[in-house]
Amino acid sequence: MANGIPSNLDAVRERIARAAAAHGRAPESVTLIAVSKTKPAAAIAEAHRAGQLDFGENYAQEAAAKIEALAGLPLRWHFIGRIQSNKTALIARHFDWVHTVDRLKIARRLAGHRADGPPLNVLVQVNIDDDPAKGGVAPDAAGNLVDAMHGLAGLRLRGLMAVLERAGDAESSYRRVRALFDGLADQGGNDWNVLSMGMSGDLEAAVAAGATQVRVGTAIFGSR
Ligand SMILES: *Cc1c(COP(=O)(O)O)cnc(C)c1O
């Protein structure tokens, strides 16, 4: 990480391009989300100067302060943390995307806070490894949640998101997320085209399985 944010970003973009090419995909079919949790606004501004536009944050209050400090930059903000119901207003006000919807109650609250303005892009988080330490809806309950979220004005349902168990076989888990995503395409509707999966250590396996967004923190900003 001694090389700094711009060259780390280049290296990650290169990894994405290579993984995409290996599977006959265009590099632009994968959006890089730079995960900036715990990192200062100055680090985000530096990444932006190196061409980065999409950023991911996990903690609503910490993120809101940085988003306000950087309001002059044309950045896209992705909420990727656990959602507490008393933070849904803050999240709906500051973010363009929410990746971690796993309960109808949270979806309804986000929708209610987004009645005006552009719809909030949302992904349903699935707990693909049934890991009790992780958020996300059980795979066999994802369809019901997707159906229930239809018709919530203020939300634009885009696809699925997954975080893997650390010890697991990433490629096989990501392929199961992809199969679930494909299986829900009819229910998902016209905007169902986003699969958010893959992090610093396993983005190649995620791109191989069809990820359209990868969320990378450590490989860009260094350890936390
Ligand atoms: C922190 C985090 C990431 C980034 O993880 P790295 O291993 O640092 O790349 C991605 N997704 C989620 C949900 C995270 O919380």
Side-chain angles (χ1 to χ4, degrees), residues 95-116:
F95 284 84
D96 305 294
W97 288 76
V98 175
H99 291 226
T100 43
V101 174
D102 60 3
R103 283 173 290 160
L104 185 57
K105 176 190 168 193
I106 292 292
R108 285 205 178 110
R109 289 182 70 108
L110 288 170
H113 293 302
R114 199 70 177 221
D116 308 313

Side-chain angles (χ1 to χ4, degrees), residues 38-219:
T38 78
K39 302 297 177 183
I44 297 168
E46 187 181 0
H48 172 254
R49 286 194 294 279
Q52 181 63 28
L53 292 174
D54 290 90
F55 292 87
E57 289 278 346
N58 292 58
Y59 310 106
Q61 241 138 353
E62 176 201 329
K66 288 188 265 183
I67 292 169
E68 283 167 20
L70 296 165
L73 300 179
L75 308 180
R76 289 186 291 260
W77 293 98
H78 300 251
F79 189 80
I80 63 170
R82 286 271 184 122
I83 306 176
Q84 297 168 272
S85 50
N86 65 351
K87 296 290 187 322
T88 48
L90 193 61
I91 292 168
R93 193 174 330 127
H94 287 86
F95 284 84
D96 305 294
W97 288 76
V98 175
H99 291 226
T100 43
V101 174
D102 60 3
R103 283 173 290 160
L104 185 57
K105 176 190 168 193
I106 292 292
R108 285 205 178 110
R109 289 182 70 108
L110 288 170
H113 293 302
R114 199 70 177 221
D116 308 313
L120 185 62
N121 293 289
V122 293
L123 304 175
V124 167
Q125 181 178 359
V126 291
N127 190 350
I128 201 70
D129 297 317
D130 291 319
D131 178 353
K134 294 252 150 48
V137 65
D140 61 8
N144 282 344
L145 181 55
V146 165
D147 285 341
M149 284 170 66
H150 272 297
L152 288 180
L155 303 186
R156 189 172 171 217
L157 185 57
R158 302 300 304 271
L160 296 182
M161 177 271 203
V163 184
L164 299 193
E165 204 172 28
R166 238 169 257 281
D169 170 353
E171 183 120 9
S172 131
S173 294
Y174 286 141
R175 289 203 182 282
R176 281 184 287 122
V177 182
R178 168 66 186 276
L180 185 61
F181 172 79
D182 289 344
L184 292 171
D186 286 343
Q187 280 160 272
N190 290 340
D191 298 325
W192 187 261
N193 55 14
V194 173
L195 197 44
S196 166
M197 56 190 192
M199 321 204 312
S200 292
D202 63 11
L203 72 86
E204 285 83 359
V207 170
T212 69
Q213 298 186 342
V214 293
R215 310 176 309 266
V216 178
T218 312

